Amino acid sequence: MTPTKSTPHRPDRLALILLAPLLVFLVVFFLVPLGEVMWMSITEPSFGFGHYGKVLLDPHYRRVVLDTLGTSLMVTTVCVLLAYPLAYVTAQIGGTIGAVLLMLVAMSFWTSFLVRTYAWMIILGNRGPVSELLKATGWDPPPLMLFTRFSSTVALTHILLPIMVMALYAVMRKIDLNIMKAAASLGATPFSAFRNIYFPLSAPGIVSGSTIVFVLCIGFYVTPVLIGSPREQMISGMIGAQIEEFLAFGEASAMAMVLLVVTVAILAVYHRFFGLDKLWG
Amino acid sequence: MSYLSLQNLRKDYGGKIFAVDDVSLAIEKGEFVTFLGPSGSGKTTTLMMIAGFEQPTSGHIALAGRAIDPVPPHKRNIGVVFQNYALFPHMSVARNVGFPLRMRGVPKAEIAARVARLLAIVELGAFADAEPRRLSGGQQQRVALARALVFEPDVLLLDEPLGALDKNLREQMQIEIRRIHRELGVTTIYVTHDQTEAMTMSDRIVVFNGGKVEQVDAPLALYRRPNTPFVAGFVGDNNVLDATHAGGGRIELPGVGPIAAALPSDCPTGPLKIALRPESIRLAAGSDAPAFTVQGIVNYGDSVVLVGALGTVPLKIRLPAVAASNLTVGQILRIEWSPDAVHVIGTAR
Ligand SMILES: Nc1ncnc2c1ncn2[C@@H]1O[C@H](COP(=O)(O)OP(=O)(O)OP(=O)(O)O)[C@@H](O)[C@H]1O
Ligand SMILES: [Mg+2]
């Protein structure tokens, strides 16, 4: 065997060795438990697909699924509306001010979302600044904001906003400024240059940002559980409650599997049209 | 009054010098004018002020007798071609070219006809439906050109449009751009820092240096009669020498003595700068001609450049290859030139 013949195999073997720890980790701590969850969903307490039937057909569960999708859609939409102008300004001005803006976004991103959730608990609480402000302006008694769908939507939006900003910024930063100048020189007003050129070119950022935010949102646990409405739970909270309160492992597992399938389906659709490698810009 | 006039344009970016410093120009309708100058000399900045993307710190721009200073870029009717093409990546070639017409609300049928005509002129009719990024650099450049011309702009601005192309394609595109200019007759300003390109393409050349205009002239006039030492050195190869005119038409080089030169009648006396093209110097037969010491030989195949000194004055000589065989470094040659070859910088001849 000559050295030249054996070399093509070497990178493969090397890659495998390098990947081995990760693969072992994934198998032991992800695939095996996942298999277990899958197994529980059809065997707990007895074998059958009854849990799936219930999760998909029972009006109570359907409510939870619809509420989850609705809240996630709302959060994603508000994120796009808030993040787009911010990312636009950041990408346009660049320089020091742009860097500072981006730092602020990143700082909020690196702050634990548990901390940020508690912060919203204080802000939106019964004696919080928002309530007091509303009282001062004559809205007395102020509306109940904490433990509602409103509070969880606000907090989730705040927590996921940086991700949307980054996804948009990554795409916008790559838009050539000369292209916008070209549009102007060709007779496009600033508005029509934005509508015809900038917006279509930044749209991939909206799609990938929305995909990430939506997928993270439908599976979010802590924030909705801590400050959301107990009557309008989201899927993850419901799964937790099933296990902690009712020890209904089978049903909880079936719900988890449904959540997983929905998530994978969304990512699969994205991959089909854009390629997953583009998801992070 | 000229068609496009720049009056005392100045642009201050807050740097040590003005990016553009008191530039005044008068450009006639249908002219092909080139801005030539080294990197950072203010060519792009001047162009961007004409297009309306940069506001002059002071000065005025008028087009067809109308001040356009307050007019925003999209209302100036000036076509711009950028060095990196700046095509819209999400539109087909035809939609790119049709864009300015759609912005002007031209009826659909007319758009189709005008786009087809322009694509035919740039010889890209077969690529109407192609995506821009699938085209070669030269093809993309021609799409950009068609797009900047289709709305019949009053002025066409091209900022180093061929900078990214290889040499053969550049030459082909230079010819193409000249042909299109002849066909459509649009007033054109072309930016380059390649002096050969400027020489072959332009009706007139504007030489920029440090934000200022050094000289505005037809290519040959610029070559023969540079007004400043900078132009003499920048346009073509040149020897720019310090000399003295003692009066009576006698020019002396310090440390060399009197040299052959036919001086114009308006030549002032005292110290002056002269330009002597390397290719205008020949080897002399006699032994009383000035002596040149060869210090270096650069072979270009068809010609040879000898770097050396005339007495203590550094000098370059370009000889046809046949005349320069078996020369060696250190050799002392006798040289001569026609008295007309000496140009006194700053005079009319
Ligand atoms: N936006 C800007 N902000 C600050 N300084 C600038 C800006 N644009 C240009 N300058 C400065 O102005 C001067 C002229 O620049 P300009 O781009 O006009 O030169 P140029 O002749 O086009 O050069 P090149 O051949 O390299 O394109 C340079 O010193 C440059 O650094
Ligand atoms: Mg430039």
Side-chain angles (χ1 to χ4, degrees):
Chain A
M1 194 166 78
T2 66
T4 36
K5 257 189 184 166
S6 67
T7 36
H9 296 283
R10 255 183 219 152
D12 289 355
R13 209 176 295 160
L14 183 66
L16 211 63
I17 292 169
L18 288 173
L19 279 176
L22 180 66
L23 288 177
V24 169
F25 183 88
L26 277 179
V27 167
V28 173
F29 293 103
F30 182 68
L31 284 183
V32 169
L34 190 65
E36 213 169 313
V37 169
M38 208 183 293
W39 182 246
M40 276 197 293
S41 72
I42 51 174
T43 56
E44 201 62 41
S46 59
F47 185 82
F49 291 89
H51 296 314
Y52 285 97
K54 190 171 172 202
V55 168
L56 294 175
L57 298 176
D58 183 293
H60 176 61
Y61 285 117
R62 194 148 12 130
R63 259 249 62 84
V64 172
V65 171
L66 287 181
D67 280 349
T68 305
L69 295 179
T71 301
S72 304
L73 205 61
M74 185 71 177
V75 168
T76 308
T77 311
V78 177
C79 272
V80 171
L81 294 179
L82 293 179
Y84 197 93
L86 179 57
Y88 177 79
V89 170
T90 310
Q92 287 291 302
I93 51 182
T96 321
I97 305 174
V100 168
L101 277 175
L102 214 61
M103 265 294 290
L104 287 178
V105 171
M107 233 149 72
S108 140
F109 183 66
W110 298 126
T111 309
S112 151
F113 54 75
L114 204 58
V115 172
R116 285 188 276 166
T117 303
Y118 281 124
W120 279 110
M121 270 172 123
I122 294 165
I123 293 170
L124 296 177
N126 277 339
R127 295 217 171 70
V130 178
S131 285
E132 295 302 326
L133 205 71
L134 288 178
K135 250 191 258 173
T137 58
W139 195 336
D140 199 9
L144 205 69
M145 286 174 293
L146 202 55
F147 309 121
T148 62
R149 208 159 149 181
F150 169 76
S151 58
S152 60
T153 305
V154 168
L156 280 171
T157 302
H158 172 235
I159 287 166
L160 297 172
L161 187 67
I163 294 175
M164 185 69 87
V165 173
M166 310 253 197
L168 287 170
Y169 177 80
V171 171
M172 288 174 174
R173 203 190 37 186
K174 288 191 205 127
I175 298 177
D176 177 9
L177 286 182
N178 276 348
I179 281 193
M180 300 311 291
K181 283 187 186 165
S185 77
L186 296 169
T189 60
F191 176 72
S192 72
F194 176 80
R195 203 186 53 160
N196 291 293
I197 312 296
Y198 199 90
F199 186 73
L201 291 181
S202 62
I206 299 181
V207 175
S208 56
S210 297
T211 306
I212 299 170
V213 166
F214 191 82
V215 160
L216 287 175
C217 204
I218 54 174
F220 224 95
Y221 176 72
V222 174
T223 304
V225 165
L226 285 182
I227 67 173
S229 158
R231 282 175 312 282
E232 294 168 306
Q233 269 178 322
M234 287 179 58
I235 296 177
S236 301
M238 182 84 164
I239 294 172
Q242 290 289 333
I243 293 172
E244 283 169 18
E245 289 166 33
F246 309 108
L247 298 173
F249 286 95
E251 255 173 67
S253 301
M255 247 186 305
M257 290 316 294
V258 170
L259 180 59
L260 181 71
V261 169
V262 171
T263 304
V264 170
I266 291 169
L267 292 177
V269 169
Y270 182 90
H271 182 63
R272 170 78 182 69
F273 288 102
F274 308 102
L276 271 185
D277 52 324
K278 301 227 173 63
L279 197 57
W280 288 103
Chain B
M1 199 181 162
S2 54
Y3 186 61
L4 175 65
S5 85
L6 316 186
Q7 293 144 21
N8 308 98
L9 276 192
R10 180 166 278 153
K11 181 71 188 180
D12 184 2
Y13 280 122
K16 270 196 231 94
I17 59 163
F18 293 130
V20 172
D21 193 358
D22 200 20
V23 166
S24 294
L25 280 176
I27 293 168
E28 299 306 324
K29 196 173 169 82
E31 236 188 327
F32 194 111
V33 172
T34 298
F35 289 180
L36 174 67
S39 190
S41 57
K43 308 180 298 284
T44 298
T45 307
T46 306
L47 214 62
M48 290 300 121
M49 289 193 284
I50 298 172
F53 297 123
E54 295 288 355
Q55 282 302 314
T57 308
S58 63
H60 299 285
I61 303 174
L63 180 59
R66 197 168 63 101
I68 57 168
D69 306 291
V71 181
H74 66 274
K75 289 195 184 135
R76 288 200 180 187
N77 207 41
I78 291 178
V80 185
V81 174
F82 294 88
Q83 176 170 354
N84 63 352
Y85 321 129
L87 297 179
F88 306 134
H90 59 303
M91 294 183 190
S92 69
V93 166
R95 282 189 66 76
N96 261 281
V97 178
F99 183 82
L101 301 178
R102 289 200 298 283
M103 291 300 111
R104 285 165 174 77
V106 175
K108 264 206 174 114
E110 193 187 331
I111 292 182
R114 284 169 72 175
V115 168
R117 171 164 172 260
L118 254 296
L119 284 180
I121 289 179
V122 299
E123 292 165 358
L124 281 178
F127 293 88
D129 297 323
E131 283 175 60
R133 67 197 156 103
R134 299 216 184 281
L135 303 183
S136 72
Q139 288 169 332
Q140 292 189 29
Q141 193 56 269
R142 281 185 279 166
V143 175
L145 199 57
R147 190 180 65 175
L149 285 167
V150 73
F151 59 99
E152 293 170 1
D154 296 328
V155 179
L156 175 65
L157 308 176
L158 304 119
D159 193 358
E160 305 203 25
L162 310 182
L165 306 182
D166 63 49
K167 189 168 166 290
N168 285 339
L169 203 50
R170 276 179 87 104
E171 283 169 3
Q172 205 178 314
M173 283 296 295
Q174 288 168 11
I175 295 169
E176 193 97 322
I177 289 173
R178 278 304 311 208
R179 173 180 67 78
I180 291 167
H181 176 255
R182 266 199 313 278
E183 256 170 64
L184 303 177
V186 58
T187 311
T188 303
I189 300 178
Y190 187 98
V191 167
T192 181
H193 52 231
D194 177 340
Q195 45 128 336
T196 323
E197 197 164 279
M199 295 295 282
T200 55
M201 295 183 76
S202 329
D203 294 330
R204 283 195 301 160
I205 297 175
V206 181
V207 181
F208 278 78
N209 184 33
K212 289 187 157 63
V213 170
E214 294 263 342
Q215 188 171 355
V216 185
D217 239 321
L220 266 184
L222 200 68
Y223 189 80
R224 293 203 181 126
R225 294 185 296 278
N227 271 344
T228 66
F230 174 80
V231 176
F234 191 72
V235 179
D237 218 0
N238 222 336
N239 294 296
V240 180
L241 310 173
D242 287 308
T244 337
H245 179 207
R250 252 167 54 110
I251 284 267
E252 289 187 14
L253 290 185
V256 177
I259 57 163
L263 296 190
S265 49
D266 64 339
C267 184
T269 52
L272 37 76
K273 288 204 182 278
I274 60 168
L276 183 57
R277 295 275 173 202
E279 66 269 24
S280 63
I281 302 174
R282 302 180 297 267
L283 296 183
S287 59
D288 52 347
F292 172 83
T293 317
V294 181
Q295 289 163 346
I297 303 176
V298 186
N299 204 324
Y300 286 93
D302 54 343
S303 67
V304 172
V305 169
L306 307 178
V307 185
L310 182 65
T312 54
V313 180
L315 194 74
K316 266 190 294 188
I317 304 178
R318 184 184 286 268
L319 296 175
V322 281
S325 53
N326 61 50
L327 290 180
T328 55
V329 171
Q331 198 172 349
I332 293 177
L333 305 170
R334 297 286 163 179
I335 57 169
E336 63 179 11
W337 56 85
S338 134
D340 305 334
V342 172
H343 169 69
V344 179
I345 290 170
T347 62
R349 213 204 59 193

